[in-house]
Amino acid sequence: MACMPKSAEDVLKLIKENNLGWVDLQFTDLPGRLHHITIPSTDVELESFKSGFGKLDGSSIRGFTEIFESDMVLMPLAETASLIPWSPGVMRILTDVYWGGGKGRFERDPRGVANTAEKFQQDRGYKSFFGPELEFFLFDKVDLDVATPQSGTGYKVHARESPWDNSGSFMIRYKEGYYPAPPVDKLMDVRVEIVDTLVKYFGFTIEATHHEVATAGQGEIDFRFSTLTDTADKVQTLKYVTKNIAAKHGLTATFMPKPIYGDNGTGMHTHFSLWSNEGKNLMFDPNDEYAEISQIGRYVIGGILHHARALSAIASPSVNSYRRLVPGFEAPVYTAWSKGNRSAIIRVPSYFRGIEKAKRIEYRAPDPSCNPYLLFSAVLMAAMDGVNRKIDPGNPVDENIYHLTPEKRREKGIRELPRSLDEALDELESDKEFLKPVFSNSIIDTYIDLKRQEAKTMQMYPHPMELYYYLDS
């Protein structure tokens, strides 16, 4: 297990003991991408952890500032410092983002939203825990043809496990990739190196890693649940480590929701529980016969279901996300809840009974292209809105929702999730008040504008399959 620094003094000691020459300062932009700048370790002093580093031009970062207000400060977080094993002599530290000129915390720093959400719940007597399950693909190579979009675009995925790239050895058929043992699972060693690195260098507690359902190298890594901001930090770290270890092996790691037609997409099922500050799981009721879920737990579910369509804009934030959210590929499409039904957007895991600390819900809509700081904060606000307003989630649905007729779904009060990013953004624009205690108007409006532009840009490109279907029109 890695010995993570606790203080600025610990960081300076780690730099000296390991003779480090460089420190990599990292932060997350509004859409959720990780950015970095590398500085000499000699520039890092005790005072640096109070004053920060004036190293950021905010006008060059999506969702941050205009060119006339671009000087920004990166404030290092000592507890996130760690060695980078693939870059000898380099330390990595996550940072908070501040305005320049002593004007305080930058309101569109996603990590700042997460900090505000945690304070908001604490002031009201609550504490929450999050446990995301990150899925991803490991491809051998991806050929992209986008240099001259006027004459056509295209791509080709190369993957050693896939039916289309197999050279006579074991392959994984479509939708048959769940838990196959090596040598059918050809990427186990890479995944083990990823989780080993997360444990030894970045302080993770890993619960499992395995091959997922899809062919072509789909995997999953699950780590121990934690508090809101810490879990979001870990999501960004896991993606960073996975991509770098994959690159070391000549592979391309992607957390894109739906890179392959005809097989399961990539999700980030997120486990959530709400506790009191005194350490009681408020969602657990041993006397509930259905799923040991308390009335507060039901209100939590009610809040998330009530705001599910608006949450889609944050949980499923890309145009590609909505190619994943279709029936038949284990991705949720309908707003319902159940204790074991994976066609519902919310599942109450019920592997065992009588275990208070294990009682939680699984929110199955998110995918890992999201910004985790915004997602977890939004989920918390939806849950707390459900508790505050005592929103009834309705009865659980213990049948395959995909097989219900539209009439049956209407009878049960089951709605559909948005079918496109634009539709999800419409929902967020009309249902955003529940976010307001934590999300400023500035961050919501800027986020919507960025995503509107993304959707508009993608709409302008003819799809290769459109030529297949419509060329003879």
Side-chain angles (χ1 to χ4, degrees):
M1 179 69 70
C3 182
M4 303 297 291
K6 301 294 184 184
S7 65
E9 289 83 1
D10 290 340
V11 173
L12 296 180
K13 182 180 178 182
L14 193 62
I15 290 173
K16 183 177 180 180
E17 288 179 347
N18 291 274
N19 195 28
L20 302 179
W22 304 95
V23 173
D24 207 43
L25 304 175
Q26 300 183 352
F27 65 96
T28 298
D29 68 11
L30 190 55
R33 298 292 199 281
L34 196 65
H35 296 261
H36 80 126
I37 180 172
T38 310
I39 64 173
S41 63
T42 51
D43 288 358
V44 182
E45 304 170 343
L46 280 179
E47 182 60 28
S48 306
F49 292 86
K50 297 179 182 178
S51 60
F53 297 95
K55 297 288 186 181
L56 177 60
D57 171 8
S59 66
S60 296
I61 302 298
R62 288 183 299 171
F64 273 23
T65 65
E66 301 291 341
I67 196 168
F68 57 83
E69 51 178 4
S70 58
D71 289 346
M72 309 196 79
V73 174
L74 298 175
M75 195 71 67
L77 303 159
E79 67 275 15
T80 69
S82 55
L83 304 182
I84 303 178
W86 56 85
S87 296
V90 183
M91 169 187 283
R92 167 269 204 168
I93 303 181
L94 296 180
T95 65
D96 289 332
V97 182
Y98 281 71
W99 285 104
K103 292 187 289 185
R105 190 72 177 269
F106 178 52
E107 66 273 12
R108 291 194 295 278
D109 174 13
R111 199 174 187 279
V113 175
N115 292 156
T116 303
E118 289 201 277
K119 185 177 187 307
F120 180 84
Q121 66 172 355
Q122 182 181 8
D123 290 346
R124 286 152 183 81
Y126 298 116
K127 187 174 184 176
S128 57
F129 292 96
F130 292 80
E133 302 171 349
L134 274 81
E135 297 172 350
F136 53 92
F137 281 91
L138 295 174
F139 296 144
D140 286 271
K141 183 183 177 184
V142 179
D143 296 323
L144 287 173
D145 180 10
V146 295
T148 54
Q150 290 80 6
S151 63
T153 61
Y155 71 96
K156 181 174 177 59
V157 172
H158 301 272
R160 64 189 69 175
E161 296 178 343
S162 68
W164 62 86
D165 251 6
N166 192 266
S167 58
S169 61
F170 295 108
M171 68 176 179
I172 295 178
R173 292 173 290 275
Y174 294 99
K175 302 184 73 171
E176 293 188 20
Y178 193 62
Y179 284 20
V184 179
D185 178 358
K186 299 179 181 179
L187 294 163
M188 174 185 170
D189 290 346
V190 180
R191 292 198 309 275
V192 169
E193 184 176 345
I194 293 168
V195 296
D196 203 42
T197 301
L198 290 169
V199 170
K200 290 180 178 178
Y201 290 90
F202 295 92
F204 276 59
T205 299
I206 297 295
E207 296 189 336
T209 181
H210 60 86
H211 204 290
E212 255 298 343
V213 171
T215 185
Q218 189 181 43
E220 177 175 311
I221 295 174
D222 306 331
F223 59 85
R224 181 68 55 84
F225 65 86
S226 187
T227 50
L228 192 157
T229 306
D230 185 60
T231 303
D233 287 345
K234 284 182 165 65
V235 168
Q236 295 298 78
T237 299
L238 188 152
K239 294 173 72 173
Y240 169 65
V241 171
T242 299
K243 291 176 180 179
N244 277 280
I245 297 296
K248 172 185 166 184
H249 289 272
L251 300 167
T252 297
T254 179
F255 294 83
M256 180 180 177
K258 188 76 170 185
I260 296 174
Y261 168 78
D263 215 331
N264 283 23
T266 292
M268 191 177 80
H269 304 157
T270 297
H271 296 253
F272 171 83
S273 60
L274 189 66
W275 295 61
S276 70
N277 282 339
E278 292 74 34
K280 177 179 173 57
N281 187 342
L282 300 175
M283 297 174 62
F284 177 67
D285 180 0
N287 298 315
D288 176 63
E289 292 185 5
Y290 178 70
E292 295 186 311
I293 190 83
S294 69
Q295 186 60 59
I296 288 180
R298 281 174 161 78
Y299 292 149
V300 164
I301 294 170
I304 295 173
L305 291 181
H306 181 77
H307 298 293
R309 288 178 58 83
L311 285 172
S312 286
I314 299 172
S316 308
S318 72
V319 171
N320 185 253
S321 298
Y322 296 86
R323 304 195 192 283
R324 167 183 170 254
L325 297 177
V326 295
F329 296 96
E330 297 191 27
V333 180
Y334 302 109
T335 59
W337 73 284
S338 174
K339 69 177 179 180
N341 186 353
R342 284 173 164 80
S343 67
I345 193 176
I346 291 180
R347 184 175 73 93
V348 183
S350 301
Y351 296 107
F352 306 101
R353 292 187 66 86
I355 306 176
E356 177 184 355
K357 67 179 182 180
K359 185 49 56 185
R360 64 199 187 277
I361 63 167
E362 179 191 47
Y363 176 40
R364 295 176 57 81
D367 69 59
S369 70
C370 72
N371 185 323
Y373 301 104
L374 302 185
L375 171 69
F376 299 154
S377 300
V379 169
L380 174 65
M381 298 311 295
M384 292 186 64
D385 189 52
V387 173
N388 293 336
R389 295 169 55 196
K390 298 183 177 179
I391 298 175
D392 182 8
N395 294 325
V397 180
D398 292 325
E399 52 191 311
N400 191 334
I401 303 172
Y402 300 136
H403 295 165
L404 295 180
T405 64
E407 292 75 19
K408 278 287 186 183
R409 291 199 300 270
R410 280 194 293 271
E411 286 176 13
K412 294 176 180 293
I414 298 173
R415 299 179 299 161
E416 283 192 57
L417 291 179
R419 297 184 182 183
S420 69
L421 178 57
D422 262 328
E423 187 180 344
L425 293 169
D426 290 343
E427 293 292 331
L428 180 58
E429 281 189 321
S430 64
D431 178 22
K432 58 187 177 182
E433 289 303 313
F434 73 100
L435 299 172
K436 290 292 183 68
V438 166
F439 288 70
S440 67
N441 283 325
S442 172
I443 197 167
I444 295 174
D445 294 343
T446 303
Y447 180 86
I448 290 174
D449 287 346
L450 281 173
K451 290 297 174 179
R452 288 281 190 207
Q453 186 59 48
E454 180 182 322
K456 181 180 178 182
T457 299
M458 296 296 289
Q459 286 174 345
M460 294 168 62
Y461 289 95
H463 191 284
M465 291 305 295
E466 291 177 350
L467 273 74
Y468 175 77
Y469 275 97
Y470 306 129
L471 188 61
D472 58 352
S473 296

